[in-house]
Amino acid sequence: MTERFEVRGTNPPPPPLVMQETSFANGNANTVTPRKRSLAQMTRDVLPRIDNYRNLMSVAAVQRPTFGELYEGVEEEKTDQPASGHEAQGHVKLGWIQGVFLSVALNIWGVMLFLRVSWVVGHAGIGLALVIIAFSAFVCTVTTLSLSAISTNGVIKGGGIYYIISRSLGPEFGASVGLVFAFANTVSASMNTIGFCDSLNSLLKQQGYKIIDNSVNDSRIIGSATVVILIVICAVGMDYEVIAQDVFGVVIVGAIVDYCVGVFMGPQNEVAYAQGFVGLNVSVYAENIGPGFRFSEGVNQNFFTVFSIFFTSVTGVQAGANISGDLKDPEGAIPKGTLLAILMTMLSYVLFVLLVGGGQLRETSGIVEEVANGTFTDCTYRKCSYGLYNDYSVMQLMSAWGPFIYAGCFAATLSTAMTNLLSVPRIIQALGNDGIYPGISWFGKPYGLHGEPYRAYVLTALVSIAFVLIADLNAIANLVSNFYLAAYAFINFCTFHAAFVKPLGWRPTFTYYNKWLSLIMTFICIILMILIDWIMALITVGVIALLYFFVVYRKPDVNWGASTQAQTYNTTLSAVQSLNNIEDHVKNYRPQILVLAGHPTSRPALLDFANLITKRLSLLICGCVSPQPLSHRERQSAVNSAIQFFKERKMRAFFSLVDSLSVEMGTRALLQASGIGRMKPNILLMGYKAEWQVSTPEDVVEYFDILHDAFTNRVSIAIVRLKTGLDNGQSVIGSKGSYQAFPRVDSEGCFINEGFSESEIPESPALHRYNLSTHLTPENPVGKGKKSPAASYINMGMEEGPTVSTTAMETDSIFLRKQKKGTIDIWWLYDDGGLTLLLPYIISTRKKWAGSKLRIFTLIDKKDEMQIEERNMASLLSKFRIDYANLTMVHDVSEKPHPKTARLFEDIIKPFREDNSPTSSKDNKFFISDSELKLLVNKTERQLRLRELLQQHSRDSNMIVMTMPMPRKGVVSAPLYMAWLEVLTRDMPPFMLVRGNQTSVLSFYA
């Protein structure tokens, strides 16, 4: 029997066919038949299973075969998204009753049920009290519906509200709200503990006992000890916490029954009657049905102040979601348990309002002797101490057995405090696992079999005890309520945003929600924050904003598929599509550049130059052409390293790679297919082919044909030349430890590195430029303290980086350095639509080129018209609003060039003359004929004369920008045209040749 072993994360190849020998009974024949194999043994494909879709950090995760393994038979690196966080083993999981229903019910009941309901009825009356309860229930129910929709849209792990919001809206919102929510829970635990201490002190005072003073100091001692006991119960394990919650629940239910029985029994003595408990009575209902707002607790009470006090008691609907990691089925438990808990608790509040409003007077003196003559309710000219207005112990008065109400108060406060203390460490652990805020991960370290965050428990206990020692938290009670409401607002907004954007991953199994209702509830929560305390609302917004921008600044490297990402996609798609319906206008022209730079790490200076033009302004695409076919891994490696380069150089750029094409065909493909809609390149930026003279004729023609391809597609061209060249000699890494080179239009004139390994690169004049003297590594950066600009691409994915000369490093960073004060000389020779003028103007507006003033040179036909032409040009530049330092009108360009310049030109073209061309080259595009020279003699002499003028006026400028001569199709050959460019640009400062597509890019109209 063959056993099949599976290794996690791998799928073994199918085993060889197993043969089994079978003997017949007569012994005369033996037949070998194949053993029947399973489907898993016959194919590499795997069947759909849940384990294939788990995160890699999950214990049960299994990776399916990669596409490369199935299609090409080669192994590929598997890059599934790893899970964030640790999965505890053997963790005790809770059902929906104990984990959600009981937790939420105990949180909503709280001390409000026994101490403050009577006060609410006294001021608001029965009618408005029911309205307050109904509106609170509405807020809680809609928030729960939103919470249920989110929690059923995938597996919910530990972290509660933080996990839900961060996975829905991203780490920025989730982390900021999660942290303030953890703080709110901690302070809420302290407030409930103080409530327990106050009730206990009152009971001890009645019995004549005390520790120190029956006041603040006793509360501090009892409260600190209580927090320690509760945190120990939570840290020991869920079993003990569940037992404690069950006990608290039984006590609270018993206290509720005790109160109801007492109300129906009526007052048992005259003292209770004198204190306002007269029993259920229609007249009492009639008296208490309307509102009776008055001055109390330092403010003139109204509907909103009373509502704010009551609403703080129902901020516990998230109690079940807070321990989502401890639930067996959080997707089903959270909706069911929370909604049932809201229904039951709100009905109990309604019952209490009806009972206390129908059996208790609003204000009485409590004097038994006044009962007989009925004056015990007359409090017009005296201060009374009993009744709904004045006595918080009305529930004890109306109950069948008063001490049981104390027990209910104790259970309500302690259960709420315990639930809060239990949830905070889970949130801290989730924040620590995700690494959003520095230092929190230390507190979130898991311990033991269940992965309990003991350090987080200690931190929570210390913070809670600190607030207990304050002993009076009324000052920040409203801040805590605002924190809870902010969390509610974000929960509702998460549901609205996901349902509105509708990413394909939004498929909640709980469908009883409405996105517009969730949006309305978002605004209601914000309004309630302002109504409760507008100052605390501002503080809440400020704290969340501060934490939000801190996360934005840190830029955590996480990707959780938040709906904000889907919104970004939708917005971008809509914007790009809307551009198609808008005709281009000259005032909205933007230079959208396709840079033929190869891989960005090969020619960083050219990318930096392009970024000077497009930075925060327009589209930038880095085009790369590889004649060699690339595997998926090599392509992905190139793309990833390019993106990393853009990120480190802070460039807003895209990388486009084509392979299995010649450089010309690949460039043509990039010109025609790059971009989308109106977001397409309108300028082709290239490096100058400085060593074209030693290149093969085919390479020169290919470079020249690229210019024709651009013009054929009506794309403008810009060519950049530096004295030292643009290529830094770096190779692109295809896989670790091996060089994968991409060909590019080399600044020194060669299409180099076409698939050669490092040791096989042929001799080329371009390579002799580098003195392999400086070895850069991350441990040996250039300069003191500050990383060299070249280091942004050196050693990207390499074990040991290549050696780079100092000259190459300076070239790479030439456009990153602040330029000295000088000039940018613009030789606007011919009207190409204004592009020759616009590009240098954009460069001059950049901070590092702010010291370079514009000098403009333009041609005139006749010397005697110089003043008129100068005034006309100055007027045009003024209307264009181009600020320039000097304007020069050039009139002698038609003069004969100096013989020395002519000899230079002859030396340049000599290898390409017809008599000196290779005999194998029959096509005239590979050489310069006498007839061509004779036909274009005037244009040639013009280029030679321009060189002399450049030497005279611009040799010391920071940059030269000149209108590029037009390579007339079918008229000028590649060698002659390259000779023109060589004459113009040789031994010059950084030089850019520009030719627009004859479409205006400047306008003087408003």
Side-chain angles (χ1 to χ4, degrees), residues 361-530:
L361 298 177
R362 273 185 165 139
E363 195 170 26
T364 63
S365 64
I367 301 174
V368 177
E369 290 77 11
E370 295 179 352
V371 173
N373 57 19
T375 59
F376 73 104
T377 60
D378 184 11
C379 299
T380 305
Y381 301 104
R382 59 177 174 174
K383 181 176 178 60
C384 296
S385 302
Y386 298 96
L388 298 176
Y389 279 135
N390 308 310
D391 189 6
Y392 290 154
S393 61
V394 167
M395 296 301 175
Q396 288 93 321
L397 176 68
M398 300 177 70
S399 63
W401 185 44
F404 211 151
I405 300 300
Y406 276 108
C409 287
F410 297 161
T413 53
L414 294 178
S415 63
T416 303
M418 178 179 290
T419 303
N420 290 330
L421 292 175
L422 180 67
S423 63
V424 173
R426 266 67 174 168
I427 298 175
I428 294 175
Q429 186 177 40
L431 281 166
N433 290 340
D434 292 338
I436 304 299
Y437 293 111
I440 291 185
S441 58
W442 188 85
F443 293 100
K445 182 179 179 180
Y447 286 94
L449 182 64
H450 297 169
E452 294 288 347
Y454 291 136
R455 293 175 179 177
Y457 279 115
V458 174
L459 175 65
T460 304
L462 293 177
V463 175
S464 184
I465 290 173
F467 282 101
V468 167
L469 294 177
I470 296 175
D472 183 9
L473 299 182
N474 290 332
I476 64 171
N478 289 340
L479 179 63
V480 175
S481 298
N482 272 274
F483 281 174
Y484 280 123
L485 282 170
Y488 287 6
F490 274 102
I491 291 172
N492 285 288
F493 185 74
C494 285
T495 300
F496 163 76
H497 194 265
F500 181 78
V501 175
K502 291 183 179 177
L504 294 179
W506 178 251
R507 299 186 300 276
T509 58
F510 185 89
T511 58
Y512 301 101
Y513 71 94
N514 182 276
K515 61 183 177 183
W516 300 113
L517 194 58
S518 297
L519 179 63
I520 293 173
M521 189 51 58
T522 301
F523 290 111
I524 289 177
C525 290
I526 296 174
I527 294 172
L528 289 177
M529 291 171 60
I530 298 172

Side-chain angles (χ1 to χ4, degrees), residues 232-242 422 426 450 452 454:
V232 168
I233 293 175
C234 294
V236 168
M238 290 297 299
D239 292 338
Y240 296 95
E241 193 272 341
V242 168
L422 180 67
R426 266 67 174 168
H450 297 169
E452 294 288 347
Y454 291 136

Side-chain angles (χ1 to χ4, degrees), residues 782-852:
V782 175
K784 295 182 179 180
K786 189 174 181 180
K787 198 173 182 180
S788 167
S792 65
Y793 58 89
I794 293 176
N795 293 340
M796 191 175 297
M798 305 179 187
E799 289 184 352
E800 188 171 343
T803 55
V804 184
S805 69
T806 304
T807 303
M809 288 177 49
E810 292 176 352
T811 299
D812 293 341
S813 60
I814 183 172
F815 296 116
L816 294 177
R817 299 193 299 265
K818 184 175 180 61
Q819 302 297 312
K820 64 181 181 180
K821 289 188 176 181
T823 63
I824 298 177
D825 287 357
I826 305 172
W827 290 75
W828 193 13
L829 306 180
Y830 316 107
D831 189 357
D832 59 351
L835 189 64
T836 306
L837 184 63
L838 178 62
L839 295 186
Y841 169 74
I842 294 174
I843 294 174
S844 69
T845 62
R846 303 307 182 191
K847 183 177 181 181
K848 293 180 181 178
W849 288 79
S852 299

